[in-house]
Amino acid sequence: MIALVTGAGVRVGKALALALGTAGYDLELCCHRSLAATERVAERVRKLGRKATVRQVDLADGAAVDALTSDLRRRHRRLDLLVHNAGTFARTPFPETTRTALAHALEVHVAAPFFLTQGLLPLLRAARAPSIVALGDIFGERPVVDFAAHCVSKAALHMLVRQLAVELAPKVRVNGIAPGVVLWPSEELGQGARDAALTRVPLAREGSPDDVARTVLFLAREAPFMTGQLLTLDGGRSVPL
Ligand SMILES: NC(=O)c1ccc[n+]([C@@H]2O[C@H](COP(=O)([O-])OP(=O)(O)OC[C@H]3O[C@@H](n4cnc5c(N)ncnc54)[C@H](OP(=O)(O)O)[C@@H]3O)[C@@H](O)[C@H]2O)c1
């Protein structure tokens, strides 16, 4: 079994890579800036007895995405699992948001998953039970002030999940996960905001990268009748009270 994970060197992506390696997948690990960290993840995956290759690619660069898919099609005969994990989380107060900032969020969250999937479709279709999982966000379903580019682009990613589920059925299943707080982005939001957010979480804790990894594995291996779904993974935060 072969899986590709984007943003695979740190944080959630690192946990995904290690969980998938443990579950028996050979891995294509994509990174952008975290090359050294991703090489270390690959080394740990190899120690598990699986193959791991590191790819450094800027997913905001369409030509680089196309070059990646071409190379993967030359090197592999099939792809069992594609995980669109890479993401950006930049504060973009609406009055100051530039076209460049919006375009970047859309490139990483929408265009890259769109064209990576398109380019890898022949490999996915050649697998026995292929699956795609995209990491969305609870803020792709509702707005949060000062994060317009993030919310709008994640909302588009959620629609891409639903669209591709229909387009690629019945062979390829496509699902997403919409996490709440998993690892707090301390550079963008302070500790006070974290504590306030956690008071709204019935399960009273942050999610862990392992929570996300287990859900990706569930969607990939244990949910053969599920497609086009966004699973909310937020400790109950979005349950209406
Ligand atoms: N953590 C949370 O609480 C939370 C909450 C809701 C949703 N999510 C979503 O879950 C996913 C994983 O979360 P995370 O917190 O681990 O994400 P993250 O740390 O913000 O970013 C994950 C990876 O995305 C990669 N990336 C960003 N821009 C890229 C680009 N232009 N080209 C290629 N790779 C790029 C980065 O790779 P490099 O490091 O190699 O540059 C990074 O390692 C993301 O999609 C995120 O939006 C997370």
Side-chain angles (χ1 to χ4, degrees):
M1 303 254 279
I2 305 168
L4 182 148
V5 182
T6 62
V10 296
R11 293 169 56 87
V12 171
K14 173 182 172 181
L16 289 175
L18 294 173
L20 292 172
T22 303
Y25 287 87
D26 292 330
L27 294 172
E28 291 282 350
L29 303 175
C30 294
C31 65
H32 183 211
R33 295 197 174 90
S34 304
L35 180 60
T38 312
E39 295 283 9
R40 287 194 292 275
V41 172
E43 199 46 49
R44 286 179 64 181
V45 170
R46 289 182 202 115
K47 285 190 177 139
L48 295 167
R50 309 313 321 175
K51 293 180 189 159
T53 307
V54 175
R55 310 284 185 148
Q56 190 173 28
V57 56
D58 179 2
L59 294 173
D61 177 347
V65 171
D66 293 346
L68 172 67
T69 58
S70 299
D71 190 48
L72 289 167
R73 282 204 309 268
R74 271 194 299 275
R75 292 194 52 235
H76 292 287
R77 291 214 189 122
R78 64 168 216 278
L79 182 66
D80 299 277
L81 174 62
L82 172 56
V83 186
H84 298 299
N85 167 72
T88 70
F89 189 65
R91 207 167 163 274
T92 53
F94 181 71
E96 298 148 35
T97 301
T98 60
R99 286 177 186 277
T100 306
L102 178 61
H104 186 261
L106 289 167
E107 285 290 342
V108 175
H109 292 156
V110 188
F114 190 113
F115 289 107
L116 256 185
T117 303
Q118 185 190 68
L120 296 175
L121 204 46
L123 296 183
L124 287 159
R125 284 188 167 140
R128 189 183 58 77
S131 180
I132 299 172
V133 180
L135 268 292
D137 196 311
I138 54 168
F139 293 125
E141 297 292 324
R142 58 194 171 97
V144 59
V145 171
D146 285 349
F147 287 86
H150 183 79
C151 293
V152 167
S153 59
K154 285 290 188 177
L157 175 60
H158 292 189
M159 180 50 80
L160 182 63
V161 165
R162 297 175 179 121
Q163 182 73 25
L164 290 179
V166 174
E167 300 264 2
L168 307 188
K171 180 72 187 187
V172 184
R173 291 183 307 107
V174 187
N175 292 289
I177 299 169
V181 178
V182 172
L183 288 174
W184 191 253
S186 50
E187 286 170 17
E188 298 296 336
L189 297 166
Q191 192 66 25
R194 174 184 182 272
D195 295 343
L198 287 184
T199 63
R200 297 195 293 274
V201 178
L203 292 184
R205 68 168 175 88
E206 271 184 20
S208 68
D210 189 49
D211 289 320
V212 179
R214 290 162 70 170
T215 309
V216 168
L217 278 167
F218 165 75
L219 289 170
R221 301 195 308 190
E222 310 291 340
F225 197 49
M226 186 179 287
T227 198
Q229 302 305 306
L230 266 297
L231 296 190
T232 302
L233 191 71
D234 68 349
R237 181 178 176 183
S238 56
V239 174
L241 295 175

